[in-house]
Amino acid sequence: MLGIKMIIPVIMAGGSGSRLWPLSRTLYPKQFLPLTGENTMLQETITRLSGLDITTPLVICNEEHRFIVAEQLRSIEKTGSIILEPVGRNTAPAIALAAEVISANNPENEPLMLVLAADHVIQDKKAFIESVNAAMPLAESGKLVTFGIVPTEAHTGYGYIKRGSSVASNAGFKVEAFVEKPDKQTAEEYLENGNFYWNSGMFLFKASRYLEELEKFRPDIFKACKESLEKTSTDNDFIRLDTEKFEKCPDESVDYAVMENTEDALVVPLDAGWNDIGAWSALWEVNEKDEQGNVYSGDVLLHQTTNTYIKGSDRLVATVGLDNLVIVDTKDALLVANKDNVQDVKKIVEKLKADLEK
């Protein structure tokens, strides 16, 4: 029966951690931090799936993060396989590795793979589960489903998906086009049009269908990923690749490699309080604010301060007469930034890295 097939969550947990510096670092990026509650973002990504019929998760991460991932899975009793990437090669190869492992382990009864990023916030769990359930029959029929976020503003920091004709009683729509990040005027036109969604980077499909389309459109990626798993070694829950073979794999996103080329791409709308936490301002947006519009934690004392995000650490942080700032205090670094410019925090990380390499 359609709609009740088992799902394997595939959690992409790579990332360098540059956009939430100084709290997030290369060796401990944001997906492993508790930014919106007691659980880390990785743990939140997995626990919000409790309303679905899922197996243990398959996590893809950088090799240097393997013990962090294993411990965080163990602490929520969700141990599963962990694919270790010796180098980052973007989402198309990462998903291909997971699809190959899933196909090999399920030769007869192929489950669906639900591809998620480990660093997204979804505030309405019920709406998220409903969208996944709506997508299941479509994915089971062989379609490659992506989830389009119903936009709440004319955002210029996200790519967009333009929907085409409806399928399955408006449960989903054909993908007419994937659109790059727009300028402000274009984003406003998209919002007014009503046929555009933010590109979430979340997917649901059969492993075999993804591999078929990847082999059709990017045989080089398909071949490199397949070969990198031929001499794989398993150590407890860790799956290690053939480093030399995987290093030869092209760096490409799943959108460019597959979704923009396949004729079987569908988009299912998702209106669930989604945010990819791409900057400190996003944490201000998703957290509860005081009467002056402030979000703060730690030992903080505020006076005539408005619309500001403050994260304290081991000492008192006091503010007077401030508006629209981000202040993040850690043991070895202090960030003070205008909330409208926090996307440029990565520039600080780049400069620090360059200074270290001198």
Side-chain angles (χ1 to χ4, degrees), residues 2-5 7 49-54 112 114 125-140 145 147 168 171-172 204 268-270:
L2 295 180
I4 60 171
K5 195 172 183 71
I7 292 175
L49 304 175
S50 59
L52 296 167
D53 185 12
I54 62 170
L112 301 175
L114 177 60
K125 174 183 170 181
K126 183 171 182 265
F128 170 70
I129 298 298
E130 288 174 353
S131 288
V132 174
N133 283 330
M136 287 178 70
L138 305 176
E140 177 60 17
V145 181
F147 295 90
L204 183 71
V268 168
L270 175 62

Side-chain angles (χ1 to χ4, degrees), residues 68-215:
I68 300 173
V69 171
E71 173 58 25
Q72 293 196 1
L73 293 179
R74 186 202 61 77
S75 67
I76 58 171
E77 300 180 349
K78 293 291 184 181
T79 54
S81 297
I82 303 169
I83 298 175
L84 304 179
E85 290 184 312
V87 292
R89 286 294 182 264
N90 217 317
T91 53
I95 296 170
L97 294 172
E100 289 282 5
V101 170
I102 290 170
S103 293
N105 292 340
N106 301 274
E108 296 181 1
N109 183 27
E110 184 182 30
L112 301 175
M113 53 190 295
L114 177 60
V115 181
L116 305 170
D119 56 359
H120 290 178
V121 166
I122 294 178
Q123 295 174 303
D124 189 341
K125 174 183 170 181
K126 183 171 182 265
F128 170 70
I129 298 298
E130 288 174 353
S131 288
V132 174
N133 283 330
M136 287 178 70
L138 305 176
E140 177 60 17
S141 71
K143 301 300 183 182
L144 281 68
V145 181
T146 186
F147 295 90
I149 306 302
V150 178
T152 55
E153 61 175 306
H155 207 297
T156 59
Y158 298 138
Y160 283 70
I161 301 170
K162 184 180 182 182
R163 76 182 190 192
S165 58
S166 65
V167 297
S169 302
N170 289 329
F173 301 85
K174 291 182 179 179
V175 172
E176 185 169 318
F178 286 86
V179 185
E180 297 292 339
K181 296 175 182 178
D183 57 30
K184 189 66 174 177
Q185 180 179 343
T186 305
E188 290 172 351
E189 291 171 0
Y190 290 167
L191 186 65
E192 185 178 352
N193 182 283
N195 289 326
F196 289 83
Y197 302 109
W198 293 339
N199 188 350
S200 72
M202 300 187 290
F203 306 91
L204 183 71
F205 38 62
K206 289 181 178 179
S208 60
R209 284 295 297 125
Y210 177 74
L211 292 173
E212 286 168 3
E213 297 299 88
L214 182 66
E215 185 176 21

Side-chain angles (χ1 to χ4, degrees), residues 43 46 54 58 77 80 82 98 148 191 193-194 206 230 290-291 293 320 337:
Q43 292 170 330
I46 295 170
I54 62 170
L58 176 61
E77 300 180 349
I82 303 169
L191 186 65
N193 182 283
K206 289 181 178 179
E230 287 176 353
D290 67 11
E291 292 181 356
V320 179

